[in-house]
Amino acid sequence: MKKYFFYIISALFIVSCATKNPHKATEKVYNAQVKNLNETIAKKEIVNLKKEPYVVIDSVAYRYNNQLLNFKDTLSKTNSDILKNGIVSEWVGTVNFNLRKPNFVIIHHTAQDSIQQTVKTFTLQQTQVSAHYVIGRDGKVVHMLNDYLRAWHAGNGSWGKNTDINSSSIGIELDNNGTEPFSDAQINTLLALLTKLKKDYNIPTQNIIGHSDIAPSRKIDPSVLFPWKLLAANGFGVWPDEVLPCPPDNFNAEQGLQAIGYNTKNLSAAITAFKLHFIQTEVNNILDEKTISTIYSIYKK
C-alpha cells in the first residue's frame, strides 16, 4: 500500500512540474508593481511646503533599513503556502493594487520638554511608540516615517466604526508639554503640513481630529490650548456655528456624539473630550443646554 501511495505522489509531482504556469505574465506585472511600491516605501521623503502663506523648513526623513527590508519581503511574497489551519492556498498575484492611503490625521502634543527628547523616544525600540511627523516649537518638521506606513501613535482608540486608527491615519506630534500655548511658528507649520496631506491623500475635512477625540477615556492631547477653531477656519476639521441651532425635542445627545464619531461607552469621558475640542472654556462632563446645542451643530455638519 505504501508502495502505491509513493507512486501516486510521484506522479502528481511530475504532473505539477510539467504544468505551465498560466499566471506567469500577470505575476511578472505583479512583481514589477511590488518593486515600484517598495521604492515608494523606502524613498527618503523631503517635505517641501514652501508655498504661501506658510513656509516650512525641509524635514529630515529617518529610514530603518532592516524594518523596510521586512516590509519588502512581505510585499514580495509570491509562493504558495499551507495555512496554519490546514487549508491549502494558491498564490496568484493580482495586477490591481496599490499602497493603502491614510484617511485620517490625528494631532497630539508630545507631553515632553523638547523635540530632541521626543525624537529619542521615537527611536528607541522599547518605547513602542512613534509618529509620522514631529513639529518643533520653532516650526521645524522632523519626518519620521513614510506616510504609507503604519506608525504607533493612536494606541487603543476608535472613531465611529474604525477601531484600528493606526492603520488608517497619519500621526502628527506637536512639541508641547501640555501646559503651554502653541507657538505661531508651530501652528503655521502645522497648517502647511495639513494643506499638503489633505491634498495628497484627499483626507476629508472632518477626519482631522485629536488624540483625545479617539481615546476620550485615556488622553487629553492636544491640550485645551490647541487652536481647533483656527484649524477649522482653514479647512481642517469642523467647528460649531457662531449662533448655535436649537436641537429638536427628540434629539439624543449621546447618539449625536456617536454619530460624530465618539465612543460613548464612558459617556462622561466622551462629553469631556467633545468639550476639550469644541467648548474649550468649559471643559467638564456636564451635559447642559449649550453642550447639547453644540453637539447638534457638529452633528449636522
Side-chain angles (χ1 to χ4, degrees):
M1 189 69 179
K2 290 183 178 178
K3 183 177 179 181
Y4 288 119
F5 181 74
F6 173 77
Y7 286 141
I8 292 171
I9 294 298
S10 299
L12 289 174
F13 179 76
I14 293 170
V15 170
S16 64
C17 290
T19 302
K20 185 178 180 180
N21 180 4
H23 307 291
K24 186 175 181 179
T26 58
E27 287 211 359
K28 184 177 180 180
V29 176
Y30 171 87
N31 289 328
Q33 289 184 224
V34 166
K35 182 180 178 181
N36 289 335
L37 296 183
N38 287 339
E39 292 171 356
T40 300
I41 290 176
K43 182 180 179 183
K44 181 179 179 181
E45 294 186 344
I46 299 297
V47 176
N48 187 5
L49 306 175
K50 293 181 179 178
K51 296 180 180 179
E52 296 297 334
Y54 310 116
V55 177
V56 177
I57 301 171
D58 286 348
S59 68
V60 178
Y62 287 80
R63 296 174 60 190
Y64 297 96
N65 292 328
N66 290 337
Q67 288 180 286
L68 289 175
L69 285 173
N70 289 336
F71 283 120
K72 289 180 181 180
D73 290 341
T74 300
L75 286 175
S76 299
K77 183 179 180 183
T78 58
N79 60 302
S80 296
D81 195 7
I82 298 177
L83 303 181
K84 291 181 179 179
N85 59 10
I87 299 174
V88 179
S89 65
E90 178 188 7
W91 177 272
V92 178
T94 180
V95 297
N96 305 310
F97 63 98
N98 56 12
L99 291 173
R100 299 185 184 198
K101 76 176 186 68
N103 195 46
F104 290 85
V105 172
I106 310 299
I107 298 173
H108 311 250
H109 70 240
T110 62
Q112 295 189 313
D113 296 323
S114 69
I115 192 169
Q116 292 80 11
Q117 184 181 1
T118 299
V119 169
K120 182 178 180 180
T121 298
F122 290 170
T123 52
L124 295 173
Q125 286 188 324
Q126 61 265 33
T127 64
Q128 298 288 287
V129 64
S130 58
H132 294 87
Y133 298 90
V134 183
I135 303 178
R137 291 168 171 83
D138 62 356
K140 177 182 177 181
V141 177
V142 178
H143 191 180
M144 303 199 70
L145 188 67
N146 187 290
D147 296 344
Y148 288 104
L149 297 180
R150 185 180 186 272
W152 301 344
H153 63 96
N156 183 19
S158 64
W159 191 245
K161 294 182 179 180
N162 189 334
T163 58
D164 185 7
I165 301 295
N166 279 334
S167 292
S168 59
S169 67
I170 288 177
I172 300 177
E173 292 273 358
L174 301 178
D175 180 25
N176 184 289
N177 62 18
T179 63
E180 61 185 335
F182 296 85
S183 72
D184 289 342
Q186 191 173 47
I187 297 302
N188 285 341
T189 292
L190 174 63
L191 291 171
L193 180 57
L194 290 175
T195 299
K196 180 179 187 301
L197 295 176
K198 186 179 180 183
K199 179 181 178 181
D200 286 352
Y201 305 114
N202 196 28
I203 295 174
T205 296
Q206 68 272 20
N207 284 5
I208 298 171
I209 51 182
H211 199 184
S212 58
D213 294 314
I214 64 169
S217 299
R218 298 187 302 111
K219 297 295 181 178
I220 59 169
D221 61 303
S223 75
V224 69
L225 300 173
F226 186 73
W228 285 113
K229 183 177 181 180
L230 174 63
L231 260 68
N234 283 273
F236 311 117
V238 295
W239 194 252
D241 299 315
E242 289 297 326
V243 178
L244 292 175
C246 183
D249 293 338
N250 63 349
F251 178 70
N252 184 298
E254 181 177 358
Q255 292 177 358
L257 286 171
Q258 292 171 356
I260 293 167
Y262 288 93
N263 183 334
T264 62
K265 288 183 178 179
N266 184 334
L267 181 57
S268 292
I271 294 169
T272 302
F274 176 86
K275 297 176 90 166
L276 180 64
H277 190 137
F278 297 107
I279 314 177
Q280 295 178 315
T281 57
E282 303 173 22
V283 180
N284 52 50
N285 61 1
I286 300 173
L287 193 60
D288 55 17
E289 184 177 339
K290 179 180 178 180
T291 304
I292 295 172
S293 295
T294 306
I295 292 171
Y296 181 63
S297 179
I298 299 300
Y299 162 81
K300 289 203 308 175
K301 295 175 185 295

